[in-house]
C-alpha cells in the first residue's frame, strides 16, 4: 500500500504542474488580445536574441564585435573560435559537394 502512495505523489505533482502551466497560458491568452499576443511574441523573440544594435546583425557579428567586453559575451574567445571552425567546416563541405557533383574525367 505504501508503494502505491509513493508513486501517486510524483504523478499528482506532475499533473498539477502541467495543468497549472496550461491555466497560466490560457489566462495570458485571454488577458491579451490576438493582435497584442502576436506582437508580444515578436518582441519577445527579438529580445531573446540579445542586445543587438541592429536587426540585421547576426549573433556571430555581435559576438565578433563584442568578444573582448566582459559581461556582454559569455566566453567570447571560445565563441569566436567556434564560429571560425564552423565557417572552415562549411567551406570544406561546400568543396566536397562540388567535387562530388562534378564527375571525374573518364579516360
Amino acid at each position: 500500500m505504501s508503494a502505491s502512495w509513493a508513486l501517486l505523489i510524483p504523478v499528482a505533482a506532475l499533473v498539477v504542474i502541467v495543468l497549472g502551466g496550461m491555466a497560466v497560458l490560457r489566462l495570458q491568452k485571454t488577458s491579451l488580445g490576438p493582435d497584442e499576443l502576436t506582437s508580444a511574441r515578436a518582441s519577445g523573440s527579438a529580445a531573446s536574441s540579445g542586445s543587438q544594435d541592429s536587426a540585421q546583425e547576426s549573433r556571430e557579428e555581435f559576438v565578433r564585435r563584442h568578444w573582448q567586453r566582459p559581461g556582454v559575451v559569455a566566453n567570447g574567445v571560445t565563441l569566436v573560435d567556434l564560429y571560425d571552425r564552423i565557417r572552415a567546416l562549411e567551406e570544406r563541405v561546400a568543396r566536397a559537394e562540388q567535387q562530388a557533383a562534378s564527375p571525374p574525367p573518364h579516360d
Side-chain angles (χ1 to χ4, degrees):
M1 181 73 179
S2 65
S4 64
W5 284 105
L7 291 175
L8 183 64
I9 292 171
V11 170
L14 182 62
V15 168
V16 167
I17 290 171
V18 169
L19 291 178
M22 291 172 58
V24 167
L25 286 175
R26 182 165 288 153
L27 284 173
Q28 286 177 344
K29 285 181 182 178
T30 58
S31 67
L32 293 176
D35 295 335
E36 293 172 341
L37 186 62
T38 56
S39 66
R41 284 183 184 158
S43 66
S45 65
S48 67
S49 64
S51 57
Q52 298 177 353
D53 290 341
S54 67
Q56 294 82 17
E57 183 179 36
S58 69
R59 289 183 180 177
E60 179 181 356
E61 292 166 345
F62 180 81
V63 167
R64 288 188 184 278
R65 193 164 45 95
H66 295 290
W67 72 274
Q68 290 180 329
R69 293 180 59 191
V72 176
V73 177
N75 207 356
V77 176
T78 304
L79 286 173
V80 169
D81 182 49
L82 285 174
Y83 282 131
D84 290 340
R85 290 178 184 207
I86 289 169
R87 181 173 288 154
L89 183 61
E90 287 172 345
E91 290 171 358
R92 286 177 51 199
V93 168
R95 282 195 307 264
E97 287 175 348
Q98 287 175 354
Q99 289 175 355
S102 61
H106 294 286
D107 290 330

